[in-house]
Amino acid sequence: MNPARDMIRRLPVVLVAAGTLALPPLLSGSHLAVYILLGLAAIVTIGLSMLMGYAGQVSLGQASFYAIGGYTAGLLAVHGVPSVAGLLVAPLAAAAFALVVGVPLLRLRGHHLAFATLAMQLILLSLVSQADWAGGAIGLQGIPRLSVAGTEFADDISYAYLVWVAVAVTLLVARNVVASRPGRGLRALATSETAAAASGVPVGRYRLAVFALSAAFAGLAGGIYAFYLGYIAPGSFPVLLSIEYVVMAVVGGLGTLWGALVGATAIILLVQVLNTVGTQPGMPSYAPSVLSYAVYALLLVLVVLFLPHGIVPAVRDRLARLGSARPGRPPTPAPADAGTDGASTTTDSSTTTGTTTTGTTTTASGTATTGTTTAASGTATSGTAVTEAAATDAPAGPAGDAARSGVTRDG
Protein backbone atom coordinates (compact mmCIF):
# COMPACT_ATOMS: atom_id res chain seq x y z
CA MET A 1 0.00 0.00 0.00
CA ASN A 2 1.15 3.52 -0.76
CA PRO A 3 2.47 5.04 2.53
CA ALA A 4 1.17 8.50 1.65
CA ARG A 5 -2.29 7.18 0.84
CA ASP A 6 -2.28 5.09 4.01
CA MET A 7 -1.38 8.19 6.03
CA ILE A 8 -4.22 10.16 4.44
CA ARG A 9 -6.67 7.37 5.28
CA ARG A 10 -5.54 7.35 8.91
CA LEU A 11 -5.63 11.12 9.26
CA PRO A 12 -9.36 11.34 10.20
CA VAL A 13 -8.85 8.72 12.91
CA VAL A 14 -5.90 10.64 14.34
CA LEU A 15 -7.86 13.90 14.29
CA VAL A 16 -10.87 12.32 16.02
CA ALA A 17 -8.65 10.77 18.68
CA ALA A 18 -6.84 14.06 19.29
CA GLY A 19 -10.11 15.96 19.54
CA THR A 20 -11.53 13.36 21.92
CA LEU A 21 -8.57 13.72 24.27
CA ALA A 22 -8.56 17.51 24.09
CA LEU A 23 -12.27 18.08 24.77
CA PRO A 24 -12.79 17.03 28.43
CA PRO A 25 -10.73 19.83 30.03
CA LEU A 26 -12.54 22.37 27.84
CA LEU A 27 -16.09 21.33 28.78
CA SER A 28 -18.12 22.58 31.71
CA GLY A 29 -19.98 20.33 34.17
CA SER A 30 -23.23 19.80 32.29
CA HIS A 31 -21.52 19.58 28.90
CA LEU A 32 -19.00 17.11 30.29
CA ALA A 33 -21.84 14.93 31.56
CA VAL A 34 -23.37 14.93 28.07
CA TYR A 35 -19.97 14.02 26.64
CA ILE A 36 -19.75 11.01 28.97
CA LEU A 37 -23.28 9.85 28.14
CA LEU A 38 -22.46 10.23 24.45
CA GLY A 39 -19.53 7.84 24.82
CA LEU A 40 -21.65 5.31 26.71
CA ALA A 41 -24.32 5.46 24.01
CA ALA A 42 -21.66 4.96 21.34
CA ILE A 43 -20.43 1.77 23.04
CA VAL A 44 -23.93 0.27 23.05
CA THR A 45 -24.64 1.43 19.49
CA ILE A 46 -21.46 -0.17 18.13
CA GLY A 47 -22.67 -3.56 19.31
CA LEU A 48 -26.20 -2.95 18.06
CA SER A 49 -24.88 -1.85 14.67
CA MET A 50 -22.97 -5.13 14.38
CA LEU A 51 -26.05 -7.10 15.41
CA MET A 52 -28.40 -5.36 12.97
CA GLY A 53 -25.98 -4.51 10.16
CA TYR A 54 -23.89 -7.68 9.97
CA ALA A 55 -26.07 -10.38 11.53
CA GLY A 56 -29.35 -8.88 10.31
CA GLN A 57 -31.06 -9.24 13.71
CA VAL A 58 -33.25 -6.45 15.12
CA SER A 59 -33.19 -5.87 18.88
CA LEU A 60 -35.48 -3.49 20.73
CA GLY A 61 -34.21 -4.57 24.13
CA GLN A 62 -30.58 -3.49 24.11
CA ALA A 63 -31.14 -1.35 27.19
CA SER A 64 -31.84 -4.54 29.14
CA PHE A 65 -28.20 -5.61 28.73
CA TYR A 66 -27.20 -2.08 29.68
CA ALA A 67 -29.23 -2.54 32.88
CA ILE A 68 -27.73 -5.96 33.61
CA GLY A 69 -24.21 -4.53 33.37
CA GLY A 70 -25.12 -1.62 35.63
CA TYR A 71 -26.83 -3.76 38.29
CA THR A 72 -24.05 -6.37 38.22
CA ALA A 73 -21.29 -3.83 38.78
CA GLY A 74 -23.32 -1.88 41.35
CA LEU A 75 -24.37 -4.91 43.42
CA LEU A 76 -20.86 -6.33 43.52
CA ALA A 77 -19.38 -2.98 44.56
CA VAL A 78 -22.04 -2.42 47.25
CA HIS A 79 -21.31 -5.85 48.75
CA GLY A 80 -17.59 -5.20 49.07
CA VAL A 81 -16.19 -6.59 45.81
CA PRO A 82 -13.46 -4.36 44.33
CA SER A 83 -15.05 -1.96 41.89
CA VAL A 84 -12.67 -2.82 39.07
CA ALA A 85 -13.67 -6.49 39.44
CA GLY A 86 -17.31 -5.47 39.24
CA LEU A 87 -16.61 -3.53 36.06
CA LEU A 88 -14.89 -6.55 34.50
CA VAL A 89 -17.72 -8.90 35.46
CA ALA A 90 -20.44 -6.59 34.11
CA PRO A 91 -19.92 -7.37 30.38
CA LEU A 92 -19.50 -11.07 31.18
CA ALA A 93 -22.81 -11.15 33.04
CA ALA A 94 -24.60 -9.38 30.17
CA ALA A 95 -23.08 -11.75 27.62
CA ALA A 96 -24.03 -14.79 29.71
CA PHE A 97 -27.62 -13.56 29.98
CA ALA A 98 -27.69 -13.00 26.22
CA LEU A 99 -26.48 -16.55 25.61
CA VAL A 100 -29.22 -17.96 27.82
CA VAL A 101 -32.10 -15.97 26.36
CA GLY A 102 -30.63 -15.96 22.85
CA VAL A 103 -31.07 -19.69 22.31
CA PRO A 104 -34.89 -19.46 22.19
CA LEU A 105 -35.17 -15.84 21.03
CA LEU A 106 -32.94 -16.16 17.97
CA ARG A 107 -35.22 -18.81 16.53
CA LEU A 108 -37.46 -15.88 15.66
CA ARG A 109 -37.01 -13.58 12.68
CA GLY A 110 -37.73 -9.97 11.78
CA HIS A 111 -40.36 -8.13 13.76
CA HIS A 112 -41.06 -11.24 15.85
CA LEU A 113 -37.51 -11.06 17.22
CA ALA A 114 -37.83 -7.31 17.76
CA PHE A 115 -41.02 -7.74 19.80
CA ALA A 116 -39.49 -10.61 21.74
CA THR A 117 -36.47 -8.52 22.79
CA LEU A 118 -38.81 -5.68 23.73
CA ALA A 119 -40.83 -8.06 25.90
CA MET A 120 -37.58 -9.30 27.45
CA GLN A 121 -36.73 -5.80 28.60
CA LEU A 122 -40.20 -5.18 30.02
CA ILE A 123 -40.08 -8.45 31.97
CA LEU A 124 -36.58 -7.70 33.27
CA LEU A 125 -37.51 -4.22 34.47
CA SER A 126 -40.64 -5.59 36.15
CA LEU A 127 -38.62 -8.23 38.00
CA VAL A 128 -35.94 -5.77 39.10
CA SER A 129 -38.51 -3.31 40.39
CA GLN A 130 -39.92 -6.07 42.63
CA ALA A 131 -36.54 -7.30 43.90
CA ASP A 132 -35.67 -5.86 47.30
CA TRP A 133 -32.07 -7.08 47.03
CA ALA A 134 -31.67 -4.82 43.97
CA GLY A 135 -33.25 -1.78 45.62
CA GLY A 136 -36.72 -2.38 44.19
CA ALA A 137 -38.49 0.48 42.47
CA ILE A 138 -36.47 2.98 44.53
CA GLY A 139 -33.23 1.82 43.00
CA LEU A 140 -29.76 0.76 44.10
CA GLN A 141 -28.03 3.49 46.08
CA GLY A 142 -24.61 3.99 47.58
CA ILE A 143 -22.56 2.62 44.69
CA PRO A 144 -18.94 3.65 45.35
CA ARG A 145 -16.69 5.39 42.88
CA LEU A 146 -14.60 3.28 40.56
CA SER A 147 -11.10 2.65 41.88
CA VAL A 148 -8.23 1.09 39.90
CA ALA A 149 -4.99 0.16 41.70
CA GLY A 150 -5.78 2.52 44.55
CA THR A 151 -6.58 5.42 42.20
CA GLU A 152 -10.15 6.62 42.50
CA PHE A 153 -12.05 8.18 39.63
CA ALA A 154 -13.22 11.16 41.64
CA ASP A 155 -14.22 13.70 38.97
CA ASP A 156 -16.05 13.78 35.66
CA ILE A 157 -12.90 14.35 33.63
CA SER A 158 -11.47 11.02 34.73
CA TYR A 159 -14.73 9.28 33.80
CA ALA A 160 -14.72 11.03 30.44
CA TYR A 161 -11.30 9.59 29.63
CA LEU A 162 -12.36 6.17 30.94
CA VAL A 163 -15.46 6.16 28.76
CA TRP A 164 -13.65 7.10 25.59
CA VAL A 165 -10.89 4.59 26.23
CA ALA A 166 -13.69 2.02 26.47
CA VAL A 167 -15.07 3.35 23.15
CA ALA A 168 -11.65 2.87 21.53
CA VAL A 169 -11.37 -0.69 22.88
CA THR A 170 -14.89 -1.49 21.68
CA LEU A 171 -14.13 -0.14 18.21
CA LEU A 172 -10.91 -2.15 18.05
CA VAL A 173 -12.63 -5.39 19.07
CA ALA A 174 -15.51 -4.80 16.64
CA ARG A 175 -13.13 -3.95 13.80
CA ASN A 176 -11.10 -7.11 14.34
CA VAL A 177 -14.24 -9.22 14.47
CA VAL A 178 -15.59 -7.72 11.25
CA ALA A 179 -12.24 -8.21 9.47
CA SER A 180 -11.92 -11.83 10.59
CA ARG A 181 -13.28 -14.97 8.97
CA PRO A 182 -16.36 -14.99 11.27
CA GLY A 183 -16.94 -11.38 10.20
CA ARG A 184 -17.14 -12.43 6.58
CA GLY A 185 -19.56 -15.12 7.63
CA LEU A 186 -21.68 -12.50 9.38
CA ARG A 187 -21.83 -10.39 6.23
CA ALA A 188 -22.96 -13.43 4.26
CA LEU A 189 -25.49 -14.16 6.99
CA ALA A 190 -26.96 -10.65 6.72
CA THR A 191 -27.37 -11.07 2.96
CA SER A 192 -29.00 -14.49 2.96
CA GLU A 193 -29.15 -17.06 5.73
CA THR A 194 -29.90 -19.83 3.25
CA ALA A 195 -26.90 -18.97 1.05
CA ALA A 196 -24.66 -18.59 4.11
CA ALA A 197 -25.71 -21.98 5.45
CA ALA A 198 -25.14 -23.55 2.03
CA SER A 199 -21.63 -22.06 2.03
CA GLY A 200 -20.78 -23.75 5.32
CA VAL A 201 -21.37 -20.80 7.66
CA PRO A 202 -22.63 -21.97 11.10
CA VAL A 203 -25.63 -19.64 11.06
CA GLY A 204 -27.03 -20.35 14.51
CA ARG A 205 -23.67 -20.17 16.27
CA TYR A 206 -22.64 -16.92 14.59
CA ARG A 207 -25.98 -15.26 15.35
CA LEU A 208 -25.74 -16.23 18.99
CA ALA A 209 -22.10 -15.09 19.19
CA VAL A 210 -22.76 -11.61 17.80
CA PHE A 211 -25.85 -11.32 20.01
CA ALA A 212 -23.70 -12.06 23.07
CA LEU A 213 -20.94 -9.70 21.90
CA SER A 214 -23.36 -6.80 21.45
CA ALA A 215 -24.74 -7.56 24.94
CA ALA A 216 -21.21 -7.52 26.37
CA PHE A 217 -20.61 -4.05 24.91
CA ALA A 218 -23.85 -2.83 26.46
CA GLY A 219 -22.93 -4.44 29.80
CA LEU A 220 -19.57 -2.67 29.82
CA ALA A 221 -21.28 0.67 29.23
CA GLY A 222 -23.81 -0.10 31.96
CA GLY A 223 -21.06 -0.87 34.47
CA ILE A 224 -19.34 2.44 33.82
CA TYR A 225 -22.69 4.21 34.04
CA ALA A 226 -23.39 2.73 37.49
CA PHE A 227 -20.02 3.85 38.90
CA TYR A 228 -20.36 7.27 37.30
CA LEU A 229 -23.78 8.10 38.77
CA GLY A 230 -23.53 6.07 41.97
CA TYR A 231 -27.23 5.26 41.71
CA ILE A 232 -29.34 3.23 39.30
CA ALA A 233 -33.04 2.32 39.21
CA PRO A 234 -35.42 0.57 36.79
CA GLY A 235 -36.41 4.01 35.55
CA SER A 236 -32.82 4.56 34.40
CA PHE A 237 -33.34 2.01 31.60
CA PRO A 238 -36.68 2.79 29.91
CA VAL A 239 -37.91 1.31 26.65
CA LEU A 240 -37.30 4.68 25.01
CA LEU A 241 -33.58 4.14 25.64
CA SER A 242 -33.60 0.98 23.50
CA ILE A 243 -35.42 2.89 20.76
CA GLU A 244 -32.77 5.60 20.97
CA TYR A 245 -30.04 3.05 20.34
CA VAL A 246 -31.87 1.70 17.29
CA VAL A 247 -32.32 5.22 15.91
CA MET A 248 -28.64 5.96 16.49
CA ALA A 249 -27.57 2.85 14.59
CA VAL A 250 -29.94 3.51 11.67
CA VAL A 251 -29.12 7.21 11.37
CA GLY A 252 -25.37 6.64 11.46
CA GLY A 253 -25.44 3.64 9.14
CA LEU A 254 -26.01 -0.01 9.98
CA GLY A 255 -22.94 -2.19 9.61
CA THR A 256 -20.52 0.76 9.85
CA LEU A 257 -18.47 1.22 13.01
CA TRP A 258 -18.02 4.95 12.48
CA GLY A 259 -21.73 5.21 11.81
CA ALA A 260 -22.37 4.24 15.42
CA LEU A 261 -20.30 7.19 16.61
CA VAL A 262 -21.93 9.60 14.18
CA GLY A 263 -25.43 8.39 15.01
CA ALA A 264 -24.83 8.53 18.77
CA THR A 265 -23.44 12.05 18.51
CA ALA A 266 -26.37 13.28 16.40
CA ILE A 267 -29.06 11.74 18.61
CA ILE A 268 -27.52 12.67 21.97
CA LEU A 269 -27.16 16.30 20.89
CA LEU A 270 -30.72 16.26 19.54
CA VAL A 271 -32.02 14.83 22.81
CA GLN A 272 -30.32 17.62 24.75
CA VAL A 273 -31.92 20.23 22.50
CA LEU A 274 -35.35 18.62 22.91
CA ASN A 275 -34.95 18.46 26.69
CA THR A 276 -34.03 22.14 26.73
CA VAL A 277 -37.08 23.02 24.65
CA GLY A 278 -39.39 20.73 26.62
CA THR A 279 -38.37 22.16 30.00
CA GLN A 280 -38.95 25.77 29.05
CA PRO A 281 -41.44 27.73 31.23
CA GLY A 282 -45.02 27.03 30.23
CA MET A 283 -44.28 23.61 28.70
CA PRO A 284 -46.16 20.62 30.20
CA SER A 285 -44.21 18.04 32.20
CA TYR A 286 -44.67 15.38 29.50
CA ALA A 287 -43.29 17.62 26.74
CA PRO A 288 -39.73 16.13 26.65
CA SER A 289 -41.03 12.57 26.17
CA VAL A 290 -43.58 13.58 23.54
CA LEU A 291 -41.01 15.63 21.64
CA SER A 292 -38.53 12.76 21.78
CA TYR A 293 -40.96 10.20 20.35
CA ALA A 294 -42.19 12.61 17.67
CA VAL A 295 -38.71 13.65 16.56
CA TYR A 296 -37.44 10.04 16.57
CA ALA A 297 -40.32 9.02 14.30
CA LEU A 298 -39.76 12.01 11.99
CA LEU A 299 -36.01 11.43 11.90
CA LEU A 300 -36.43 7.77 11.01
CA VAL A 301 -38.83 8.63 8.19
CA LEU A 302 -36.45 11.23 6.77
CA VAL A 303 -33.45 8.92 6.97
CA VAL A 304 -35.32 6.05 5.30
CA LEU A 305 -36.50 8.35 2.52
CA PHE A 306 -33.36 10.36 1.79
CA LEU A 307 -30.48 8.43 3.42
CA PRO A 308 -31.63 4.81 3.36
CA HIS A 309 -28.16 3.51 4.26
CA GLY A 310 -27.38 6.14 6.90
CA ILE A 311 -25.17 9.21 7.13
CA VAL A 312 -21.75 7.57 6.94
CA PRO A 313 -22.45 5.39 3.85
CA ALA A 314 -24.07 8.37 2.11
CA VAL A 315 -21.06 10.61 2.77
CA ARG A 316 -18.68 7.84 1.72
CA ASP A 317 -20.52 7.29 -1.57
CA ARG A 318 -20.60 11.02 -2.23
CA LEU A 319 -16.84 11.33 -1.70
CA ALA A 320 -16.26 8.34 -3.96
CA ARG A 321 -18.28 9.95 -6.75
CA LEU A 322 -16.42 13.23 -6.34
CA GLY A 323 -13.11 11.38 -6.45
CA SER A 324 -14.04 9.55 -9.64
CA ALA A 325 -15.03 12.86 -11.28
CA ARG A 326 -11.76 14.66 -10.51
CA PRO A 327 -10.12 16.44 -13.49
CA GLY A 328 -7.06 14.72 -14.82
CA ARG A 329 -8.35 11.18 -14.31
CA PRO A 330 -7.99 9.06 -17.47
CA PRO A 331 -11.34 8.76 -19.24
CA THR A 332 -13.03 5.40 -19.32
CA PRO A 333 -12.37 3.78 -22.71
CA ALA A 334 -15.42 3.40 -24.91
CA PRO A 335 -16.52 -0.18 -25.64
CA ALA A 336 -15.83 -1.72 -28.99
CA ASP A 337 -18.46 -1.43 -31.67
CA ALA A 338 -20.87 -4.32 -31.13
CA GLY A 339 -21.75 -4.37 -34.82
CA THR A 340 -18.33 -5.71 -35.85
CA ASP A 341 -18.85 -8.95 -33.85
CA GLY A 342 -15.15 -9.77 -34.04
CA ALA A 343 -14.88 -9.36 -37.79
CA SER A 344 -12.65 -6.96 -39.72
CA THR A 345 -14.05 -4.03 -41.66
CA THR A 346 -12.02 -2.94 -44.65
CA THR A 347 -12.31 0.39 -46.36
CA ASP A 348 -10.53 0.59 -49.68
CA SER A 349 -9.72 3.34 -52.09
CA SER A 350 -9.12 2.44 -55.72
CA THR A 351 -6.53 3.97 -57.96
CA THR A 352 -6.10 3.96 -61.68
CA THR A 353 -3.60 2.14 -63.84
CA GLY A 354 0.01 2.09 -62.64
CA THR A 355 -0.73 3.92 -59.40
CA THR A 356 -0.62 2.84 -55.79
CA THR A 357 -3.70 1.48 -54.04
CA THR A 358 -4.03 2.22 -50.34
CA GLY A 359 -6.27 -0.03 -48.25
CA THR A 360 -7.19 0.89 -44.72
CA THR A 361 -8.21 -2.02 -42.52
CA THR A 362 -10.02 -1.43 -39.26
CA THR A 363 -10.23 -4.41 -36.93
CA ALA A 364 -12.76 -5.03 -34.19
CA SER A 365 -10.36 -3.74 -31.58
CA GLY A 366 -10.41 -0.34 -33.17
CA THR A 367 -6.83 -0.53 -34.65
CA ALA A 368 -6.44 0.90 -38.14
CA THR A 369 -3.92 -0.84 -40.45
CA THR A 370 -2.83 0.75 -43.69
CA GLY A 371 -1.40 -1.41 -46.44
CA THR A 372 0.11 -0.19 -49.71
CA THR A 373 -0.45 -2.23 -52.88
CA THR A 374 1.05 -1.45 -56.26
CA ALA A 375 -1.15 -2.64 -59.11
CA ALA A 376 0.61 -5.21 -61.31
CA SER A 377 -1.52 -4.61 -64.39
CA GLY A 378 -2.64 -1.55 -66.13
CA THR A 379 -6.16 -1.74 -64.74
CA ALA A 380 -7.65 -0.30 -61.58
CA THR A 381 -7.63 -2.42 -58.44
CA SER A 382 -10.97 -2.77 -56.71
CA GLY A 383 -12.60 -4.86 -54.00
CA THR A 384 -10.93 -5.85 -50.71
CA ALA A 385 -7.15 -5.35 -50.70
CA VAL A 386 -5.23 -6.53 -47.66
CA THR A 387 -1.47 -6.54 -48.12
CA GLU A 388 1.02 -8.90 -46.61
CA ALA A 389 2.08 -6.12 -44.27
CA ALA A 390 -1.50 -5.68 -43.07
CA ALA A 391 -1.87 -9.40 -42.60
CA THR A 392 1.40 -9.56 -40.67
CA ASP A 393 0.36 -6.66 -38.40
CA ALA A 394 -3.08 -8.13 -37.67
CA PRO A 395 -3.76 -8.63 -34.02
CA ALA A 396 -3.36 -12.00 -32.34
CA GLY A 397 -6.40 -14.09 -31.51
CA PRO A 398 -9.54 -14.86 -33.45
CA ALA A 399 -9.77 -11.40 -35.01
CA GLY A 400 -6.18 -11.61 -36.29
CA ASP A 401 -6.67 -15.14 -37.63
CA ALA A 402 -9.74 -13.98 -39.51
CA ALA A 403 -7.78 -11.11 -41.00
CA ARG A 404 -4.88 -13.28 -42.11
CA SER A 405 -7.08 -16.00 -43.60
CA GLY A 406 -9.15 -13.47 -45.50
CA VAL A 407 -6.31 -11.93 -47.59
CA THR A 408 -7.63 -11.49 -51.14
CA ARG A 409 -6.47 -9.64 -54.18
CA ASP A 410 -8.74 -8.86 -57.10
CA GLY A 411 -6.87 -8.01 -60.24
Side-chain angles (χ1 to χ4, degrees), residues 88-330:
L88 294 177
V89 173
L92 299 179
F97 180 77
L99 289 174
V100 172
V101 301
V103 173
L105 287 184
L106 293 180
R107 297 178 181 273
L108 304 175
R109 299 290 189 275
H111 62 277
H112 297 96
L113 176 60
F115 290 148
T117 54
L118 179 61
M120 174 191 68
Q121 180 176 349
L122 294 175
I123 294 172
L124 178 65
L125 293 179
S126 177
L127 293 176
V128 170
S129 64
Q130 300 298 323
D132 294 334
W133 53 268
I138 298 176
L140 185 63
Q141 306 178 36
I143 302 175
R145 288 280 188 171
L146 180 65
S147 178
V148 179
T151 302
E152 184 180 274
F153 289 74
D155 54 6
D156 288 359
I157 292 181
S158 60
Y159 277 98
Y161 284 119
L162 172 65
V163 166
W164 285 95
V165 167
V167 172
V169 172
T170 304
L171 278 173
L172 182 62
V173 172
R175 178 182 178 275
N176 289 338
V177 169
V178 170
S180 66
R181 181 176 181 179
R184 294 191 292 272
L186 288 176
R187 290 194 291 270
L189 176 61
T191 303
S192 172
E193 288 190 12
T194 304
S199 301
V201 176
V203 172
R205 191 173 66 188
Y206 277 9
R207 291 175 66 194
L208 187 59
V210 73
F211 188 63
L213 182 61
S214 66
F217 290 165
L220 175 62
I224 299 175
Y225 177 76
F227 287 120
Y228 171 60
L229 289 185
Y231 164 80
I232 53 176
S236 304
F237 312 99
V239 174
L240 179 60
L241 188 60
S242 292
I243 297 176
E244 283 184 12
Y245 294 143
V246 173
V247 175
M248 291 174 188
V250 173
V251 169
L254 293 176
T256 60
L257 302 181
W258 287 107
L261 294 179
V262 173
T265 302
I267 297 303
I268 289 295
L269 295 180
L270 180 61
V271 167
Q272 296 305 312
V273 173
L274 293 177
N275 287 336
T276 301
V277 173
T279 55
Q280 292 297 317
M283 298 292 289
S285 59
Y286 54 83
S289 298
V290 172
L291 287 176
S292 297
Y293 281 111
V295 172
Y296 289 158
L298 179 61
L299 189 60
L300 276 178
V301 170
L302 292 177
V303 168
V304 170
L305 288 177
F306 301 104
L307 299 173
H309 299 293
I311 295 175
V312 171
V315 172
R316 184 181 300 164
D317 294 344
R318 179 62 177 171
L319 292 177
R321 287 195 295 269
L322 290 177
S324 62
R326 286 180 304 176
R329 289 179 64 91

Side-chain angles (χ1 to χ4, degrees), residues 363 369 389-396 399-401 403-404:
T363 66
T369 306
T392 303
D393 293 339
D401 296 338
R404 281 185 285 270

Side-chain angles (χ1 to χ4, degrees), residues 6-26:
D6 187 36
M7 184 178 299
I8 293 175
R9 292 182 60 184
R10 294 178 183 270
L11 183 60
V13 180
V14 174
L15 293 177
V16 170
T20 301
L21 296 176
L23 271 179
L26 304 177

